[in-house]
Amino acid sequence: MREISVDAIAADTDVPVVDVREQDEWDAGHVPHAIHIPMGEIVERLDEVPDGAAIICHSGGRSARVVQYLESQGRVAANVEGGTAAWIAAGHDVAR
């Protein structure tokens, strides 16, 4: 499974970021340039997931499962190491 660091997605806002957390988690704070597709909606919204997307959740567990699913569908994706928790700990901006 491909992985990407929070610093890499902060440095390159052209990397599409998909946040797979639930609505309340998203509302509490997210990567500013991310799009929100909760994990439970990935299958039905697969066409909205950009190829090459960095998939993020709180700490990396859910996003890893989503990346595995995307790869099984022939898609290219990367798991964000440490998730939103790592993003915040690194001091990156958070959108609300």
Side-chain angles (χ1 to χ4, degrees):
M1 172 184 319
R2 291 180 50 213
E3 293 194 317
I4 190 169
S5 71
V6 294
D7 292 333
I9 62 174
D12 186 357
T13 57
D14 288 336
V15 173
V17 178
V18 176
D19 191 320
V20 298
R21 298 175 302 150
E22 296 301 318
Q23 187 67 50
D24 61 324
E25 295 173 289
W26 168 265
D27 292 343
H30 55 272
V31 174
H33 63 280
I35 60 172
H36 184 222
I37 305 174
M39 181 177 171
E41 298 176 16
I42 287 291
V43 173
E44 63 206 37
R45 297 176 62 187
L46 184 59
D47 60 332
E48 296 176 46
V49 179
D51 205 34
I55 310 299
I56 194 168
C57 65
H58 176 71
S59 60
R62 286 174 283 181
S63 55
R65 290 193 298 277
V66 170
V67 169
Q68 288 173 334
Y69 168 73
L70 292 171
E71 288 174 342
S72 78
Q73 299 302 302
R75 306 291 295 277
V76 174
N79 188 35
V80 177
E81 298 169 333
T84 306
W87 178 268
I88 293 168
H92 298 299
D93 289 339
V94 175
R96 290 186 169 81

